[in-house]
Amino acid sequence: MNLIKRAILAYKTLGRKAFIYRVFNFLYLKTQNANSINFSNKFKNHDDAIKTQYGTPEPLVVDKISNELLRDLKKLIQDTGDESVITTLLNSKDDKYLLIDNHANSVIQELDSNLIVHPIHSINPMQETISRLHKELRNTFKAYIKSPFMFVNTRAWSTKANSSKFGPSLMHNDGFEPGHMKIMVYLTPLNDEYGYFMGEGSSINNHPAGTSICFLNSDLEHSAVPGNTYNRICIEVTLMRAFINAPQLNMGAFFGRHALSPEFVYDAATKMISK
């Protein structure tokens, strides 16, 4: 019986709580013995098991958050204030849950000229407004994601009007490890004045403030098109498909990409269940 079939059988027979402990212990032991056991494909193995159990998510879905949440998120961004990308980098710390981007100085300088950071990543994600955002996004997109999932990072920024075509403004895929997805939440309208989202062969334009896009960010080529008049404000939420649902239990990071490894995410969930 292969790894995926064994994982699904364990999930069905042990129940969710016991299964979390089993998965965490299995992944932890494999990681600890990485020198003697080849476990470089742990994200792929985990994602294959999820796909076998739950299927493949929809590649891209567009919806909208509630007007009340939109209002409160705008206030949160205003209250949190602004930072330069360079200041955010100087304030960054090592992270034991997230893989952190390590950009060259030239990239940081270019990002700094294009973006304004809103450091909500430094706020506890269990904070009321961010927690409400996660809950609403879960309810909105769970049918399209198809499996349970865990939130792993939340960050926010504004893209300056008429900023250069660089980095996120060029067509790209994110190159995340298997099993991760993104949800983009736009607090300003998607149109030519504020900017919009470009996907493979189509654009998401002329949509109201509060528009949310859930998509396979490492499979679909995409870009953020800057506005020609106003800055565009967005919140990016990264999630990992899993065998259980869990909130974001780790602090976020502006330069965070995705979970460092599946076991760290299950570890956080295990600690939550143990409390």
Side-chain angles (χ1 to χ4, degrees):
M1 187 180 299
N2 63 30
L3 174 65
I4 296 173
K5 290 182 179 179
R6 288 189 353 241
I8 294 171
L9 178 61
Y11 176 70
K12 290 179 177 179
T13 57
L14 294 173
R16 287 198 305 176
K17 182 173 180 179
F19 179 77
I20 295 171
Y21 286 100
R22 184 68 64 84
V23 168
F24 170 62
N25 289 333
F26 173 75
L27 292 171
Y28 178 76
L29 288 171
K30 287 288 190 181
T31 303
Q32 290 296 98
N33 293 281
N35 292 332
S36 58
I37 301 174
N38 182 9
F39 201 59
S40 60
N41 294 323
K42 54 189 172 181
F43 273 112
K44 183 180 185 303
N45 291 339
H46 179 261
D47 186 48
D48 285 345
I50 297 295
K51 286 179 178 176
T52 300
Q53 176 69 12
Y54 297 105
T56 302
E58 298 293 330
L60 187 148
V61 179
V62 181
D63 212 293
K64 184 181 180 300
I65 61 172
S66 66
N67 290 333
E68 180 183 9
L69 179 58
L70 174 62
R71 179 199 66 205
D72 293 345
L73 288 170
K74 287 181 176 179
K75 184 177 186 305
L76 176 65
I77 295 295
Q78 182 178 22
D79 292 345
T80 304
D82 302 340
E83 275 186 357
S84 68
V85 171
I86 292 174
T87 299
T88 299
L89 178 63
L90 293 174
N91 291 336
S92 297
K93 301 176 182 178
D94 292 336
D95 195 287
K96 66 178 182 179
Y97 288 104
L98 296 172
L99 179 65
I100 303 298
D101 270 326
N102 185 19
H103 295 300
N105 288 337
S106 59
V107 174
I108 294 295
Q109 293 289 340
E110 190 70 26
L111 289 173
D112 191 64
S113 67
N114 290 346
L115 306 180
I116 301 168
V117 176
H118 308 299
I120 66 169
H121 55 274
S122 62
I123 299 173
N124 187 329
M126 304 301 285
Q127 182 262 9
E128 195 262 346
T129 305
I130 297 176
S131 177
R132 281 173 49 216
L133 169 64
H134 289 170
K135 289 177 182 177
E136 189 166 314
L137 293 178
R138 185 182 297 281
N139 288 334
T140 299
F141 292 112
K142 62 184 180 182
Y144 307 103
I145 295 171
K146 298 183 180 179
S147 72
F149 57 91
M150 305 172 175
F151 294 107
V152 296
N153 196 33
T154 305
R155 61 178 186 157
W157 68 89
S158 290
T159 301
K160 298 176 184 178
N162 296 307
S163 57
S164 63
K165 287 190 174 297
F166 176 84
S169 295
L170 296 173
M171 290 297 288
H172 66 283
N173 63 56
D174 292 330
F176 283 15
E177 291 287 354
H180 292 91
M181 299 180 69
K182 276 186 182 178
I183 303 175
M184 301 300 302
V185 181
Y186 296 95
L187 306 190
T188 46
L190 292 179
N191 56 35
D192 292 344
E193 288 73 30
Y194 284 93
Y196 55 93
F197 180 96
M198 178 68 73
E200 292 181 0
S202 63
S203 63
I204 299 174
N205 200 348
N206 298 315
H207 284 258
T211 296
S212 304
I213 304 171
C214 178
F215 68 112
L216 292 169
N217 58 299
S218 296
D219 296 339
L220 298 178
E221 292 278 325
H222 61 280
S223 70
V225 179
N228 56 33
T229 306
Y230 305 107
N231 294 351
R232 182 186 61 250
I233 307 172
C234 69
I235 297 175
E236 176 197 275
V237 178
T238 301
L239 62 93
M240 187 185 85
R241 299 177 81 216
F243 281 101
I244 62 164
N245 286 313
Q248 183 180 325
L249 298 165
N250 57 288
M251 294 296 290
F254 185 76
F255 293 102
R257 285 175 62 77
H258 54 69
L260 192 60
S261 62
E263 68 266 28
F264 289 133
V265 184
Y266 282 103
D267 181 27
T270 300
K271 291 175 180 176
M272 177 187 70
I273 289 175
S274 299
K275 292 182 178 178

